Amino acid sequence: MATIRRHEEPLAEIAGKATGTCKGKGGAMHITHPPSGIMVTTGVVGSSMPIANGLALASQIRNEKRVTVAYFGDGASNIGAFHEALNMAAIWKLPVVFVCQNNQYGEHTKYEIATSAKRISDRAFGYQIPGVTVDGNDAPAMYAAAKTAIDRARDGDGPTLIEAMTFRFYGHVFGDADKYMEKGEKEAAMARDPVVRFRSWLIQERHATDEDLKHMESAIEKEIDGAVEFAISSPEPDVAELRRDVFATEQLS
Ligand SMILES: Cc1ncc(C[n+]2csc(CCOP(=O)(O)OP(=O)(O)O)c2C)c(N)n1
Ligand SMILES: [Mg+2]
């Protein structure tokens, strides 16, 4: 069996290289790596939920006890597919967790302008499934909410909608001047950086020392540097790849 390069292959895909998860033909928007559990990513806003239902239905039929997690944004919760997927997952009790990353903007549009619900988690009520709003920058709180939802799905009790409150540190596009944001909004959010917060929590709760974490950080940096090097030095896809993988050529059994 070929070696799975968990860090190298996704980075090579972002760089559009032949060694990438989609042979360099998908790019950053289509990182798909089943060996790592990343079943599919697409650029179609709101498409993750019905696809997750399909994967969850397969697990349910095969009685695999797997749970599928679908990620999407606050803007995506206004797409019809979100509502259809929640309804279907609820009636079929699919083992799926819907995680909405509410970063308070959809492209350049502020939440209140485009979304009728005060909380996206309230929308779960319409489908008679649990809906919770969590501080998405609080890693232990997210873990607790995820565990409850995953256990419930695995026990055959169906889906949960988790709304994770957060903010984005970069604009929707490169060169975004944040003109549509209130002054200081992003800076205030950056001061609540979840990584910095989780690091302090680990030390405070005595799960790790500052020294342990520094060792871990330098090992991770080394791994990332190696993956970047792999991505940069990998070859470009061959021109012959242009037409390959576009249409199915063999019967799926
Ligand atoms: C079906 C569809 N409609 C519109 C777009 C264009 N589009 C790309 S991102 C985006 C905003 C999505 O908002 P949200 O889900 O909050 O994601 P965020 O901008 O926070 O990443 C839109 C409308 C798209 N990619 N797909
Ligand atoms: Mg958003």
Side-chain angles (χ1 to χ4, degrees):
M1 214 176 103
T3 319
I4 299 164
R5 295 170 174 272
R6 285 184 204 285
H7 312 295
E8 290 89 341
E9 290 176 16
L11 270 173
E13 189 56 43
I14 292 172
K17 298 299 182 76
T19 51
T21 60
C22 302
K23 304 182 195 172
K25 295 188 274 186
M29 275 209 176
H30 301 106
I31 304 279
T32 297
H33 204 219
S36 302
I38 307 166
M39 300 312 284
V40 72
T41 53
T42 90
V44 181
V45 169
S47 61
S48 69
M49 297 79 103
I51 294 172
N53 276 358
L55 290 160
L57 180 61
S59 313
Q60 189 186 60
I61 290 169
R62 294 175 181 159
N63 198 19
E64 283 174 338
K65 298 285 172 203
R66 274 170 180 257
V67 175
T68 305
V69 182
Y71 296 95
F72 51 95
D74 45 290
S77 78
N78 296 323
I79 296 250
F82 164 88
H83 299 274
E84 295 170 23
L86 260 66
N87 183 58
M88 180 180 271
I91 52 170
W92 288 354
K93 289 198 185 306
L94 295 177
V96 59
V97 181
F98 298 105
V99 181
C100 177
Q101 298 171 348
N102 185 349
N103 61 9
Q104 294 150 60
Y105 284 89
E107 266 187 351
H108 306 101
T109 305
K110 197 159 175 55
Y111 181 85
E112 294 80 16
I113 297 172
T115 308
S116 63
K118 202 164 173 210
R119 285 171 178 242
I120 288 169
S121 61
D122 288 345
R123 291 183 160 169
F125 183 76
Y127 305 100
Q128 302 291 289
I129 64 169
V132 285
T133 298
V134 187
D135 178 353
N137 288 359
D138 181 343
M142 277 304 294
Y143 178 84
K147 181 155 183 6
T148 306
I150 288 169
D151 287 348
R152 176 184 150 83
R154 196 163 277 143
D155 288 346
D157 294 329
T160 300
L161 171 62
I162 297 175
E163 175 186 22
M165 301 305 297
T166 188
F167 205 80
R168 63 189 191 198
F169 292 177
Y170 296 96
H172 185 73
V173 289
F174 284 115
D176 194 327
D178 301 337
K179 283 195 179 136
Y180 49 91
M181 282 186 188
E182 277 165 38
K183 217 172 169 306
E185 203 178 353
K186 188 159 87 179
E187 288 68 25
M190 285 176 105
R192 298 191 299 269
D193 187 325
V195 177
V196 177
R197 188 166 157 191
F198 185 50
R199 196 182 192 288
S200 311
W201 182 86
L202 286 171
I203 296 170
Q204 201 183 314
E205 296 292 316
R206 297 178 189 277
H207 292 300
T209 63
D210 184 55
E211 203 183 330
D212 293 336
L213 295 176
K214 279 189 179 131
H215 275 130
M216 217 183 266
E217 280 157 3
S218 70
I220 292 168
E221 265 168 37
K222 226 169 128 188
E223 253 179 72
I224 294 174
D225 287 347
V228 169
E229 179 54 37
F230 173 85
I232 289 172
S233 61
S234 287
E236 307 273 344
D238 196 271
V239 175
E241 285 291 329
L242 262 180
R243 292 188 187 182
R244 203 169 288 151
D245 306 324
V246 178
F247 298 105
T249 50
E250 52 191 91
Q251 203 75 35
L252 296 174
S253 55

